[in-house]
Amino acid sequence: ITSIVNPSHGANLGRILMWGSTIKMIKDHPLGVGAANFKFVYPLYRDQREWELSGRNSRLERAHNDYLQIAAELSLLGLFFFLWLIGRTYYQGLKVVIHANSEEKSKGWAAALLGGLTATLGHAFFSFPLRNPASSLTFFLLISFIAVLDYQAFSAQTGVWRFSLVEPPKNYYYSMGIQALILLFLMI
């Protein structure tokens, strides 16, 4: 257990060195290296100490930090849009949790979905769950369900809070389509 908080432990040091090399790559490629190109460009930036820790025959395809990987491949602007999506989702979910009537089921659902989203985002700091198809699908389903709960719990047209599991929102299919495209892009 003490190895988790020890930065000089082999696995931790390897990640720290990897993240440092990824930050150098981001600085040298402000527009990003392109989707799924991390594994081709990273060897040019790989720290010698990290290479020795991981083994000479090892090949890294992921930054072991989804945020750094998004910035390296899609630029800081791409990371900004990703973080905007996350921020918007938290705003929608917290709006439902705070303002929904206590007898509505949407409050509990939104809190549970935000918990799952938070767990995935925490995991993304140390690994690459968004590059795993099953985790990525779950992540975007969480975002989609929060958006649906927000729409259903609060109608912008009437200004009245309501909850219905039957009536889908008008922009639901557009939102699902955009999120499906992002999911496919992340799985490359």
Side-chain angles (χ1 to χ4, degrees):
I1 300 250
T2 58
S3 67
I4 293 172
V5 294
N6 182 358
S8 62
H9 186 266
N12 298 338
L13 180 59
R15 275 199 170 91
I16 292 168
L17 293 170
M18 188 183 322
W19 295 340
S21 298
T22 303
I23 290 170
K24 289 177 189 171
M25 185 185 343
I26 293 167
K27 288 179 182 176
D28 287 351
H29 300 275
L31 298 177
V33 297
N37 284 329
F38 179 88
K39 60 186 167 190
F40 301 115
V41 180
Y42 181 76
L44 301 172
Y45 293 88
R46 194 167 186 186
D47 187 281
Q48 192 68 25
R49 294 172 295 164
E50 187 269 319
W51 204 311
E52 291 168 4
L53 281 170
S54 301
R56 284 284 178 195
N57 294 327
S58 66
R59 180 175 168 205
L60 291 173
E61 297 186 1
R62 309 276 188 247
H64 288 265
N65 181 317
D66 272 335
Y67 306 101
L68 288 177
Q69 180 124 7
I70 290 169
E73 292 183 345
L74 305 178
S75 78
L76 291 174
L77 185 62
L79 179 62
F80 169 79
F81 283 120
F82 176 75
L83 294 175
W84 176 85
L85 175 67
I86 300 304
R88 176 71 183 162
T89 302
Y90 273 98
Y91 169 75
Q92 290 176 310
L94 289 172
K95 189 168 72 169
V96 173
V97 170
I98 293 168
H99 296 293
N101 294 330
S102 59
E103 63 272 357
E104 291 181 357
K105 293 179 182 178
S106 60
K107 192 174 250 192
W109 280 107
L113 293 168
L114 286 171
L117 186 66
T118 302
T120 302
L121 292 171
H123 184 206
F125 272 109
F126 306 101
S127 191
F128 41 91
L130 300 180
R131 301 297 170 148
N132 176 315
S135 297
S136 191
L137 176 64
T138 302
F139 174 76
F140 283 103
L141 284 174
L142 290 169
I143 289 174
S144 299
F145 292 153
I146 290 170
V148 169
L149 281 176
D150 176 49
Y151 180 85
Q152 291 179 337
F154 182 74
S155 173
Q157 296 82 6
T158 63
V160 176
W161 286 93
R162 62 184 176 77
F163 180 72
S164 168
L165 289 175
V166 180
E167 178 188 339
K170 296 174 186 172
N171 62 355
Y172 173 76
Y173 298 108
Y174 296 116
S175 174
M176 289 300 290
I178 290 169
Q179 291 176 28
L181 288 174
I182 293 172
L183 171 66
L184 290 173
F185 180 73
L186 285 174
M187 290 185 345
I188 295 177

